[in-house]
Amino acid sequence: RTPSSQGSAETLKSCELSSVWDVFCHCDVNATGHLSKVEFTEALQACQSLLPADTETLCLEDAWRISDGARTGFVNFPQFCTWAEKLGLGLPLGLKQVEWPSELEFFGNASVPQPIGWAPGAEGLVQVGDPNLLLALQRLLDLTHKTSDNWTRDRGCSLHGVNACADSCIFRNRVDVPTGYMLVAAYRNQNAELWNRYCLFKQTVLERHAGQPEQELKHVPVASSHDLRDPVDPRCNEWRLFHGSSMQACRQICESNFELSLSGAGATWKKPGDERGVPLYGHGIYFGERITKADEYASVVPPGSPEEGLHCALVSRVVGGRCLTVTESGLEVDELRREVFQGPHDAILGDRSTALGKPYREVVVYEQDQCYPEYMLVYEGSTVRDCSVPQAASRPLVEFDEPPLASPGLSLSWYFPSV
């Protein structure tokens, strides 16, 4: 073994570090919840020193690739746990703030307690059939719709669409904002792998901030954080937030989570001729507390599909942790990322409403494990509906060939009576 790895082993023993969390925190010298490549190098040496002497030494570049460090330039704790499991490091997890029994401590993708309401034995997108939950989801759409001062450039031009003409044309020919949103169908995402990684990220945020009492973690309320039978955790600013996209993209996100490499390639505003835009707060995962904002990016299902004319949005759980609230324009994007990956913050709360009078606030996170796509909502926008009074859906409810449904043939006639 190299002298550096021997030194790391001696340091571990002298500090009585006996868990994966202890090793991670020992190398995360600034308690940011992330390991830089330099810090990961020390962690690699320390971990290899704890393995049997005949274990093959793993080179840094291979370890960095396996841990997925190249994605953001840093390794978070869920990534570190998955890598440590593959390495064969036989230490307990070591988190003290966990809410599941100690025997369920896990590495990587082992099981943690499932959320309330999951259908036993089902995986993937499962159609919601509980009338009370459907009513709660419809109410979530009603209460998070912004009825005035609700148009932005991202909604596009009624003549040319999104990102297809000059600002002057967009402002002259604004796309109408729906007056309400009617739920057509809802699906619960039962993805154990993504849920486990999200739970581990959430618990590490709780653990890290519990050890930093001098830095207050202020609770930040958002309009969309309804309980939906399974409450969110205010201790770490856990929220439910919206993300609008195409139906195909929503299904893919529910399967494999958000893909950071696609940031800026969708409905983000772009200069004419550019394939990718630079989002306001940099390349990250964007969420809104208002369905009206998410709907700007929820592209309509094209003709020829049974879902023709409908829209799709996700309701995701997001760990906000200690938020950096940004109220101004002219942002230094690299500085925002440094505040999260190398500083004390966990997420960006873009609040341009308070100081600049813009219609919406946004939440941005820079890591997949920080969010869990919990529900996929299929809905119809209306330009005539009074949101305060449920009315009849303007088209028949449909059954979809994809994704596989646990309860086909769901009807919402109990909520949208025929008129």
Side-chain angles (χ1 to χ4, degrees), residues 133-337:
L133 180 53
L134 288 167
L135 181 60
L137 289 167
Q138 175 61 58
R139 183 167 174 78
L140 179 63
L141 295 182
D142 292 341
L143 293 177
T144 60
H145 171 48
K146 197 171 191 292
T147 58
S148 63
D149 184 27
N150 57 9
W151 186 90
T152 78
R153 176 179 63 175
D154 289 351
R155 195 164 283 278
C157 173
S158 61
L159 298 180
H160 304 103
V162 179
N163 294 317
C165 58
D167 283 358
S168 57
C169 186
I170 295 173
F171 280 89
R172 282 197 310 268
N173 303 285
R174 296 183 175 189
V175 172
D176 289 337
V177 180
T179 57
Y181 300 94
M182 290 181 285
L183 185 66
V184 173
Y187 302 87
R188 179 186 285 110
N189 186 28
Q190 299 192 181
N191 188 320
E193 179 180 349
L194 299 188
W195 174 249
N196 293 339
R197 293 181 68 87
Y198 172 77
C199 286
L200 186 52
F201 190 98
K202 172 185 169 182
Q203 295 299 335
T204 59
V205 171
L206 287 168
E207 187 88 10
R208 186 162 54 88
H209 292 302
Q212 300 172 341
E214 71 284 355
Q215 299 185 36
E216 182 182 3
L217 196 161
K218 295 182 179 179
H219 174 59
V220 179
V222 299
S224 51
S225 277
H226 292 221
D227 283 348
L228 301 180
R229 296 179 57 189
D230 194 1
V232 292
D233 191 340
R235 295 176 301 164
C236 58
N237 277 322
E238 183 183 21
W239 302 311
R240 283 189 171 96
L241 296 165
F242 291 106
H243 180 90
S245 191
S246 68
M247 179 168 284
Q248 179 181 2
C250 287
R251 287 173 174 161
Q252 184 62 45
I253 290 168
C254 288
E255 180 179 342
S256 57
N257 217 330
F258 294 89
E259 182 52 66
L260 285 164
S261 65
L262 298 177
S263 174
T268 301
W269 184 85
K270 308 172 184 67
K271 294 180 180 179
D274 288 355
E275 294 184 358
R276 290 173 64 92
V278 179
L280 182 62
Y281 304 102
H283 293 292
I285 306 169
Y286 283 66
F287 297 95
E289 62 181 334
R290 299 282 183 180
I291 183 59
T292 324
K293 179 60 178 175
D295 179 61
E296 294 181 344
Y297 311 100
S299 55
V300 64
V301 179
S305 167
E307 306 97 336
E308 176 183 339
L310 298 177
H311 299 260
C312 192
L314 299 174
V315 176
S316 297
R317 288 179 181 250
V318 180
V319 178
R322 181 176 290 115
C323 303
L324 175 62
T325 301
V326 179
T327 59
E328 71 278 0
S329 298
L331 308 169
E332 177 54 54
V333 171
D334 291 339
E335 179 60 29
L336 296 181
R337 289 178 60 85

Side-chain angles (χ1 to χ4, degrees), residues 1-2 4-13 42-53 87 89:
R1 299 190 185 279
T2 64
S4 59
S5 69
Q6 292 173 352
S8 296
E10 292 172 0
T11 301
L12 283 170
K13 291 176 181 178
E42 181 182 356
L44 170 63
Q45 295 168 345
C47 289
Q48 287 186 327
S49 71
L50 299 176
L51 296 173
L87 188 65
L89 188 67

